[in-house]
Amino acid sequence: MGLDAVEIVMNVEDHFGISIRNDETECVLTVGDLVALIQSRIDAAQIAACPTLTSFLRLRSSVRELTNDLMLRIRTGTRVVDMLNRTQRRQLWAQLDDILGTAAPGLRRPAILRKLLGFSATTTFVIAFLASVAIDVAILPLTLALAAGATLALQIITIPLRSIPPDTAATFGAIARRMAGISVATKQLHLRTDEEILHELRPIVAATLGTDGSKITRTTRFIEDLGMG
């Protein structure tokens, strides 16, 4: 295989989570041939893959769609906060609810905000107590109720700021293990269609060969049409 072919195969393996032997590429002359090969490897992998691996590949696909980066490299040990911004983390968690079929582990507020809320709650109750003692002990229930209301209001107001995954879902590998334990047993694994594979394959081939992805079809020939070396 030429260098272009080797690079395409490596990128395809990384993107689709499959392994392609050198002898399997000898019959790949068109993009359609590669789509068929990828489909066959995915089908085989779906049967043989462990639930956690399958869940991780599905999760990785979702993250790449969120970031609009189909070549994004994600490892099982990659921390979610290092890969996704606050908005993207919330979007991913919304998807996890659908994938898991149950509520995902709740996102937390940033550590500094949790400390501030704790300090604020303590201070509010102390002030309420001291004010009641100084003015009239009889109003203590009222001041404590007001303090509780203020504390609850702060908790509600800061709900949109929840964006930090809990320790049990801090990495993509941890999320995949949870997905494998909950969803794989009750939901069918995602099987890509030929059209989905072609859609995902186009940017890989285009980026590798420096060509226009919109012109890549099933019948496009790697050597004659794309000049692959």
Side-chain angles (χ1 to χ4, degrees):
M1 291 190 295
L3 293 179
D4 288 339
V6 171
E7 187 173 356
I8 288 177
V9 169
M10 291 177 62
N11 289 335
V12 164
E13 288 179 331
D14 182 65
H15 178 80
F16 291 98
I18 59 177
S19 178
I20 298 176
R21 301 190 309 271
N22 289 340
D23 62 290
E24 291 179 312
T25 64
E26 295 176 358
C27 297
V28 176
L29 303 178
T30 67
V31 173
D33 293 336
L34 183 54
V35 169
L37 176 58
I38 293 171
Q39 182 69 75
S40 68
R41 302 308 298 160
I42 288 178
D43 290 344
Q46 291 287 356
I47 296 174
C50 70
T52 301
L53 175 59
T54 303
S55 297
F56 176 74
L57 295 177
R58 184 180 180 187
L59 176 63
R60 185 178 66 176
S61 177
S62 296
V63 172
R64 284 174 169 172
E65 290 179 5
L66 275 178
T67 58
N68 292 319
D69 185 355
L70 297 180
M71 303 296 290
L72 185 66
R73 292 184 178 275
I74 303 172
R75 308 299 182 192
T76 56
T78 302
R79 287 167 48 84
V80 177
V81 295
D82 295 334
M83 186 66 66
L84 302 177
N85 60 39
R86 185 169 60 188
T87 300
Q88 291 169 337
R89 291 197 293 270
R90 292 201 199 98
Q91 291 174 338
L92 176 61
W93 246 247
Q95 292 182 18
L96 287 180
D97 287 343
D98 294 332
I99 294 173
L100 297 175
T102 184
L107 292 171
R108 301 182 301 173
R109 299 171 181 82
I112 184 64
L113 180 57
R114 295 199 302 272
K115 291 180 180 179
L116 288 175
L117 287 174
F119 176 78
S120 174
T122 301
T123 302
T124 300
F125 278 99
V126 169
I127 292 175
F129 176 78
L130 294 177
S132 299
V133 172
I135 300 173
D136 187 348
V137 177
I139 67 171
L140 180 60
L142 175 61
T143 56
L144 291 180
L146 291 174
T151 300
L152 179 60
L154 284 176
Q155 292 287 335
I156 294 174
I157 291 173
T158 57
I159 285 178
L161 299 180
R162 291 177 177 175
S163 61
I164 307 299
D167 294 339
T168 55
T171 66
F172 290 104
I175 297 174
R177 285 190 290 273
R178 183 176 180 85
M179 289 170 59
I182 295 178
S183 66
V184 172
T186 58
K187 295 187 177 184
Q188 289 186 343
L189 301 178
H190 174 61
L191 298 175
R192 290 179 175 88
T193 64
D194 287 353
E195 285 302 320
E196 288 175 324
I197 292 175
L198 179 60
H199 177 72
E200 296 179 37
L201 182 61
R202 280 196 185 102
I204 296 175
V205 174
T208 303
L209 301 180
T211 187
D212 185 358
S214 64
K215 297 180 180 180
I216 297 176
T217 67
R218 291 176 180 275
T219 58
T220 300
R221 297 169 296 181
F222 283 105
I223 297 177
E224 292 85 349
D225 300 328
L226 299 178
M228 185 177 72

